[in-house]
Amino acid sequence: MDPRIDEILRITKDTNRMVHKMRRSQLWGRFYQVVWWIAILAISGAAYYYYAQPYVDKLTQLYAQVESGGAQAQSVGSQLSSFFGNWLPGAVSTTTAK
């Protein structure tokens, strides 16, 4: 065979081998990147569950207490208004005159 053809064949095989290595490296890199992000998300979720969740529960309970306290204050105000009727300044009468 011609020495140039042998050289071209050798370079082609070497290039093919290198391209396969690069493709394999790319696939492994993508695999490790997916594993990395799954680990980050799992660690974040676990940190939230173990460290932040008790505080979130306490804030939710506090909000519910404040909300029920506001409803109680409104009901007390309406009871006082109906009890005192027109005696309180600015009170609106619930009875209509005929």
Side-chain angles (χ1 to χ4, degrees):
M1 263 208 221
D2 188 19
R4 290 182 302 179
I5 294 177
D6 288 338
E7 181 68 19
I8 291 172
L9 182 61
R10 185 186 63 76
I11 290 173
T12 304
K13 285 182 179 181
D14 186 47
T15 303
N16 192 25
R17 185 179 55 83
M18 294 299 277
V19 168
H20 282 290
K21 280 185 175 182
M22 289 183 342
R23 178 70 176 144
R24 195 175 316 120
S25 175
Q26 179 187 15
L27 289 174
W28 279 109
R30 186 169 293 153
F31 172 74
Y32 286 128
Q33 187 176 22
V34 168
V35 169
W36 173 258
W37 281 107
I38 288 173
I40 287 175
L41 292 174
I43 290 170
S44 299
Y48 169 76
Y49 181 75
Y50 287 112
Y51 296 112
Q53 184 65 34
Y55 298 112
V56 172
D57 287 341
K58 287 180 184 178
L59 286 174
T60 306
Q61 291 171 355
L62 179 64
Y63 178 76
Q65 288 175 353
V66 168
E67 193 176 49
S68 67
Q72 288 175 352
Q74 286 179 348
S75 68
V76 167
S78 66
Q79 289 174 355
L80 285 175
S81 175
S82 67
F83 179 73
F84 287 110
N86 290 331
W87 294 350
L88 293 175
V92 178
S93 175
T94 56
T95 60
T96 57
K98 290 187 180 181

